[in-house]
Amino acid sequence: MIFYKYKICYALVVSGEFGMVVLRDFVAGEEESLFEVFYSSIHMICSQHYTAEQISAWAPIDLDRALWWRKISAIQPFVVLKENKIVGYSEERSNRPFFCSW
């Protein structure tokens, strides 16, 4: 693991089973990319365990983007990059770090 300054934040580089990834703070402007990760995670992975109705309620394609942007700005997630592409994110909660990862 290596910490380094990445643009305006610090990042953690982790190398493991899936290759090298970078974990860093969210940067404004990444909200739509994070929505794509959220949406595809639920519709592709979780669809094996939930009904289509549950999936659509959980992650509707027509989700109000202004609402999404406010949520992401409020939680200030950690962003996961692989080969400079956003591939995941994680919310930090004071009582449970990494409460929600996508």
Side-chain angles (χ1 to χ4, degrees):
M1 291 189 284
I2 303 168
F3 279 102
Y4 70 96
K5 187 129 171 103
Y6 181 85
K7 293 185 183 178
I8 59 170
C9 58
Y10 286 92
L12 173 64
V13 177
V14 180
S15 186
E17 171 181 357
F18 299 107
M20 187 171 67
V21 296
V22 174
L23 177 67
R24 64 158 172 78
D25 293 329
F26 159 78
V27 175
E30 296 177 328
E31 296 87 352
E32 190 62 29
S33 294
L34 296 181
F35 177 76
E36 291 170 12
V37 167
F38 170 77
Y39 182 86
S40 64
S41 294
I42 292 170
H43 283 263
M44 292 169 61
I45 298 168
C46 297
S47 63
Q48 300 170 30
H49 307 286
Y50 296 91
T51 67
E53 184 178 340
Q54 290 171 314
I55 295 294
S56 293
W58 189 2
I61 189 63
D62 60 351
L63 182 73
D64 180 350
R65 291 306 198 270
L67 176 67
W68 177 259
W69 285 43
R70 285 192 303 273
K71 174 189 173 123
I72 292 299
S73 294
I75 64 173
Q76 293 290 301
F78 292 111
V79 175
V80 181
L81 296 110
K82 182 171 176 76
E83 298 175 3
N84 291 321
K85 181 178 189 242
I86 294 175
V87 295
Y89 71 92
S90 184
E91 301 174 27
E92 179 185 14
R93 301 289 173 103
S94 59
N95 61 343
R96 293 188 335 196
F98 302 111
F99 167 78
C100 183
S101 297
W102 303 100

